[in-house]
Amino acid sequence: WLLHGPGGQGKTRLAHHLGRELAARGWTVLWPRAGARPEQLLELRRAARPLVVVLDYAETRPAQLAALVEAAAEHPSTCPFKLLLLARTAGDWWQQARTGSRQAEELLATARTRRLTPLEDDPEQRSGHYRDAAHALATALPTVPSLTGHDWSAAAAALQPPRRLGDSAYGNALTLHMTALADLLDTARPELSDSTDNEDVQDVEDRLLGHESRYWRSSAAARGLSPALATDTLETALAAAHLAGAADREHADLLWRRLPALADQPRDRRNTVTAWLATLYPPSVAAPGGPPWGALQPDRLAERHVGRALEGDPRLADRLLDGADDTQAEQLLTVYSRAAAHPVFHGRLDTHLAGLCVRHHEALAAHIITTATRTDHPYPLTAALGTLTADPTTPLNTLNRLYGHFPGTSHRLATTAAHLAHTITNRYRALAEANPDAHLPDLAGALNNLSLHLGELGQQLEGLAAVEEAVGHYRALAEANPDAHQPNLAAALNNLSLRLGEVGRWAEGLAAVEEAVGHYRALAEANPDAYLPDLAMGLHNLSIRLGEVGRWAEGLAAGEEAVGLYRALAEANPDAHQPNLAGALNNLSLRLTEVGQQLAGLAAGEEALGLYRALAEANPDAHLPDLAMGLHNLSLQLGEVGRWAESLAAGEEAVGLYRALAEANPDAHLPDLAMALNNLSIRLGHAGRRAEGLAAVEEAVGHYRALAEANPDAHLPDLALSLNNLSIRLTDVGQQLAGLAAGEEALGLYRALTEANPDAHQPDLARTLNNLSVYLGEVGRRAEGLAAVQEAVAIRRALARANPDLFGPDLQQSLEVADWLEGLEP
């Protein structure tokens, strides 16, 4: 299992509680130390008793995680072997861990992930929790030698909870408990009663550090470190120990020699600093050659102390990086980013961290990107990448190395990756103009990559222009050297078909993907291992394009072939191909519904949604948009078979997800939100919640008007669809004239769309004519209503001849409307 949540939410505490319960039942509970070598953890494959391994901060310990997975894979299964991962996030690092090896793919594909939510969301309950914590702490404080002689129980009884417990920060269990502890400790020092503002939740770590620093000073004096070393020097050493760490005592001495105040001290005194730290915070395992000290706990206290040290001396991190190994560099960036996240620093540490990354980008490139995918505060890291990208003096080789470190899919790095791809493209354009033979392939590849990133950001027109240029270059290259460039041409054509579809140029998109599939068939025949995934991808996109132009039977055949290929590929490599299988199943469900196979379509949609839920749980950054899409489509299919309550629930969940996505990236997800709102309005209408249904479709129409104004080719069909739905919702609430106006606007749009593409839009035109005829009849315009429904009957009669199962019921509906209108008084 992966359990994740922000610092102080209670992950480690919950894992210890679980460990105690399991130990009481005969389990062995193991918490590997940070410095445990992978080969040591691999020995757990020999465990002969029920074993649970808890890996804290799993996002920062990939080598240990890989070793534990290997140990689990080789364990004989005669007794349980369980792995609990604790992390602050479940982002890109988790996806990378799950695809790191064949064993990881097999064992982590079905791992459950849980986000630990705040323990107490109700502010009214927090005062009770505060008092409970204060009384519990009061029973423990007398056991601390320096805190005897004070009546802690009486102090706890006299405490008053903070007045601003409604502050959301108090929903974090650790914040509430730290506040209770700080308030208790302050009662033993009357001089603080007038000077300490106990109401600022952001200051609680500083208050506790104030008490902790007295412990540091008394311990340093006992070891003879003061007054020889200033308090600031010792506090800086403590910050360095948490920022960079040390593998052993020799490593620790190298760390001290990077600090000016300790570098000129005798070795004995530096060793005493190491011993002082080990006394303050003993290592979890005292072993020769092991880590010389442990950690100030809880982590938020260490991070706050580190942040204060870095704010006071921004170049401290530069000195610590001089000679640091990869482990220290990664730890430094991780701890720095966590410290910078605290609002008390008001973004000042963000600026310092970004500057550090820019200054040391050659050594830190991989660590910057890796840490950005793991930390819950990536902004300063992405800002540094943006600075490097925008700097015209950054060498092209450096930019390419940076690009190579980016993960394949990352929501949080999408904008950064697009900017980098744009810069690389511009650099290659200049080189290709000077020397096309050498650099035209590089330019074509950069353009194709840029198109993909622009598409992810919702910048379809810019993405289309980039890939059209890439296809042109690859055509010329493939003509001269087909063996070398035909695969690239096929990939660019496939990408071109996606971009064309996004802007509503479906016929051209179909032509592009048909050409791509032709290339991929030939390539897969010659080398199936290399090109079957590409063929499956091409068929999946071909199915979508065929559906868009109304060739549903052919679209179904292509979709079924794609699903068949992806099933086989996902069986062999689930982590690589399960997302593709889910997408192909989602598409297949639509194609089945289009040809009247609603139950089969629903089954495919339910299977796709199950896969998407697991994928989004494991990596929400990458797969939440997929989950939202799967829910939206399933809502449609559930409605097709009359399961309205389930359809409404799925639609509401889809809208919730799309709202959050559209807030973060409106260019990419506003069309999705509008689509989901339009569908939700229909479901709300069926549930009798007509006013809510009207509000939902009015919001959808508003979004589509803006989108169609910017890109009519892509969004006029959506606007027409939502207007047709708006006319129904208005009529539902008794606003017939307004409903008629919306229907007439929809009809005008559909006439123009049908003229341009009759196969795709004739059914929509007929549906709009049918609905409009009813509204015209209801407002006394019988003759106009008859003309409209007769036109709808003519269209639906022709459609039903070609596909009676799909369009026969629609024809019957229009005939009944015509009979009703005939019976009305002239």
Side-chain angles (χ1 to χ4, degrees), residues 649-667:
E652 288 177 321
E653 187 179 354
V655 165
L657 291 175
Y658 276 135
R659 276 202 194 284
L661 290 164
E663 279 177 19
N665 189 343
D667 286 343

Side-chain angles (χ1 to χ4, degrees), residues 286-551:
W293 54 70
L296 166 61
Q297 294 288 329
D299 294 321
R300 275 173 49 186
L301 281 186
E303 290 158 12
R304 184 61 165 270
H305 174 64
V306 163
R308 287 166 54 178
L310 289 166
E311 187 176 35
D313 180 6
R315 288 285 174 165
L316 170 62
D318 294 85
R319 292 191 289 274
L320 296 178
L321 282 173
D322 184 16
D325 61 22
D326 284 345
T327 300
Q328 289 179 311
E330 197 165 291
Q331 178 172 326
L332 187 145
L333 289 182
T334 299
V335 176
Y336 204 148
S337 71
R338 290 173 179 168
H342 204 293
V344 74
F345 296 114
H346 303 293
R348 293 186 296 272
L349 286 185
D350 287 356
T351 303
H352 295 329
L353 176 53
L356 176 80
C357 291
V358 171
R359 289 192 296 275
H360 298 274
H361 69 269
E362 290 289 351
L364 293 180
H367 300 303
I368 294 168
I369 293 167
T370 298
T371 306
T373 66
R374 296 173 178 173
T375 184
D376 50 1
H377 184 61
Y379 168 73
L381 304 168
T382 56
L385 294 170
T387 299
L388 290 168
T389 298
D391 185 350
T393 66
T394 305
L396 179 56
N397 286 342
T398 299
L399 295 174
N400 278 323
R401 277 199 303 274
L402 279 175
Y403 188 80
H405 289 302
F406 275 75
T409 303
S410 172
H411 182 64
R412 66 169 49 169
L413 293 179
T415 300
T416 306
H419 288 162
L420 179 55
H422 201 282
T423 299
I424 291 172
T425 301
N426 288 341
R427 297 281 188 92
Y428 276 127
R429 189 182 297 287
L431 290 169
E433 284 175 6
N435 187 347
D437 289 343
H439 295 292
L440 198 59
D442 298 321
L443 174 59
L447 283 162
N448 194 54
N449 291 337
L450 175 61
S451 171
L452 294 171
H453 292 297
L454 291 169
E456 287 178 3
L457 294 178
Q459 299 177 27
Q460 286 91 356
L461 291 174
E462 296 89 341
L464 175 59
V467 74
E468 285 178 325
E469 185 181 351
V471 167
H473 294 319
Y474 276 134
R475 279 203 193 283
L477 290 164
E479 276 179 24
N481 188 345
D483 289 341
H485 297 293
Q486 196 175 33
N488 298 324
L489 173 59
L493 283 163
N494 187 71
N495 184 22
L496 175 62
S497 77
L498 297 177
R499 303 287 86 83
L500 287 165
E502 287 168 350
V503 300
R505 291 162 59 181
W506 296 308
E508 295 168 83
L510 175 59
V513 76
E514 284 177 325
E515 184 182 352
V517 167
H519 291 313
Y520 279 137
R521 282 204 191 278
L523 290 164
E525 278 177 21
N527 189 345
D529 288 342
Y531 292 109
L532 269 182
D534 297 319
L535 175 58
M537 172 185 65
L539 286 163
H540 169 69
N541 293 335
L542 174 62
S543 174
I544 296 171
R545 301 285 89 80
L546 287 164
E548 286 169 344
V549 299
R551 291 162 59 181

Side-chain angles (χ1 to χ4, degrees), residues 589-602:
S589 71
L590 299 176
R591 303 289 82 82
L592 286 163
T593 302
E594 284 168 348
V595 298
Q597 298 183 38
Q598 280 84 1
L599 290 177
L602 176 60

